[in-house]
């Protein structure tokens, strides 16, 4: 969470980060059937803004694109899998060389557990490219729904080499 002007003790002060040249992008939304295209367009604008900001500094074009692509995948998941009518948040900030992308959205507990377990298996190592190709072919063969292949999560790990994914516990509704 980010506060401003020190009003939230222990929180990151966004005004101070802006003075230090940090990138800060935050938006909240409630997904409805009628606003999906608008949210998708906002995701694309956010991706391009982050990429442009990164490459305007000391980040290479290729690295900036990879980071923006990983960020875009997380935003896509948040938009696609947010429950209709539930509030969601996307928070991106870059300070020095640390990039934090946080998405907060409501989902079913079994879907959450599936994602947690999947992320745990990604952390065990192995060839992510081979895993991506395998999961892609399995998705086309079995078509068990969007939660099964998790191609976006694998792609994030491939594009943001050395990056970490984690699902934070949240308070029950």
């Amino acid at each position: 969470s980010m506060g401003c002007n020190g009003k939230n003790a222990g929180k990151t002060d966004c005004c101070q980060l802006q003075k230090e040249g940090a990138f800060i992008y935050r938006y909240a939304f409630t997904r409805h059937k009628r606003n999906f295209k608008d949210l998708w367009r906002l995701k694309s604008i956010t991706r391009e803004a982050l990429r442009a900001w990164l490459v305007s500094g000391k980040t290479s074009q290729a690295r900036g694109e990879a980071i923006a692509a990983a960020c875009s995948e997380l935003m896509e998941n948040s938009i696609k899998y947010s429950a209709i009518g539930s509030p969601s948040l996307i928070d991106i900030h870059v300070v020095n060389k640390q990039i934090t992308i946080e998405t907060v959205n409501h989902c079913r507990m079994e879907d959450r557990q599936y994602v947690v377990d999947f992320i745990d298996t990604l952390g065990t190592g192995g060839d992510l490219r081979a895993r991506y190709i395998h999961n892609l072919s399995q998705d086309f063969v079995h078509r068990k729904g969007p939660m099964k292949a998790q191609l976006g999560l694998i792609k994030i790990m491939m594009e943001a080499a050395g990056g970490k994914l984690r699902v934070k516990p949240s308070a029950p509704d």
Side-chain angles (χ1 to χ4, degrees):
S1 296
M2 297 181 140
C4 198
N5 298 324
K7 291 180 182 177
N8 295 322
K11 305 287 184 181
T12 304
D13 184 339
C14 64
C15 295
Q16 182 61 37
L17 291 176
Q18 287 173 332
K19 290 176 191 171
E20 295 170 5
F23 179 91
I24 302 167
Y25 209 95
R26 169 182 264 194
Y27 57 93
F29 65 92
T30 300
R31 183 174 162 219
H32 300 285
K33 290 180 182 179
R34 66 185 181 276
N35 72 346
F36 186 82
K37 286 183 183 179
D38 292 335
L39 292 172
W40 208 254
R41 193 174 16 250
L42 184 58
K43 181 260 322 169
S44 298
I45 292 167
T46 304
R47 174 188 174 145
E48 179 53 30
L50 176 60
R51 188 205 60 75
W53 186 85
L54 289 168
V55 300
S56 71
K58 295 181 181 180
T59 304
S60 72
Q61 183 75 26
R63 185 76 175 141
E65 180 56 37
I67 292 166
C71 179
S72 183
E73 290 288 342
L74 287 170
M75 289 186 293
E76 286 175 20
N77 283 349
S78 181
I79 292 167
K80 287 191 293 191
Y81 302 123
S82 289
I84 300 288
S86 294
S88 300
L89 173 73
I90 295 176
D91 187 8
I92 305 164
H93 58 277
V94 183
V95 180
N96 299 319
K97 293 187 177 200
Q98 182 170 347
I99 300 168
T100 302
I101 305 160
E102 181 178 14
T103 61
V104 179
N105 59 313
H106 296 269
C107 65
R108 297 179 325 183
M109 285 306 292
E110 55 269 19
D111 290 342
R112 181 189 185 283
Q113 191 57 51
Y114 180 83
V115 171
V116 168
D117 293 344
F118 190 84
I119 289 172
D120 286 346
T121 66
L122 289 178
T124 61
D127 183 352
L128 291 173
R129 183 172 167 77
R131 176 98 182 247
Y132 183 86
I133 293 168
H134 172 77
N135 283 28
L136 179 63
S137 67
Q138 292 302 305
D139 186 48
F140 281 120
V141 170
H142 299 290
R143 290 286 179 192
K144 293 184 178 178
M147 293 304 293
K148 299 302 177 195
Q150 292 300 334
L151 299 173
L153 293 177
I154 299 170
K155 192 173 176 184
I156 290 166
M157 295 300 287
M158 290 179 358
E159 290 172 336
K164 292 182 173 56
L165 287 174
R166 66 181 167 170
V167 177
K168 291 182 177 180
S170 60
D173 291 334

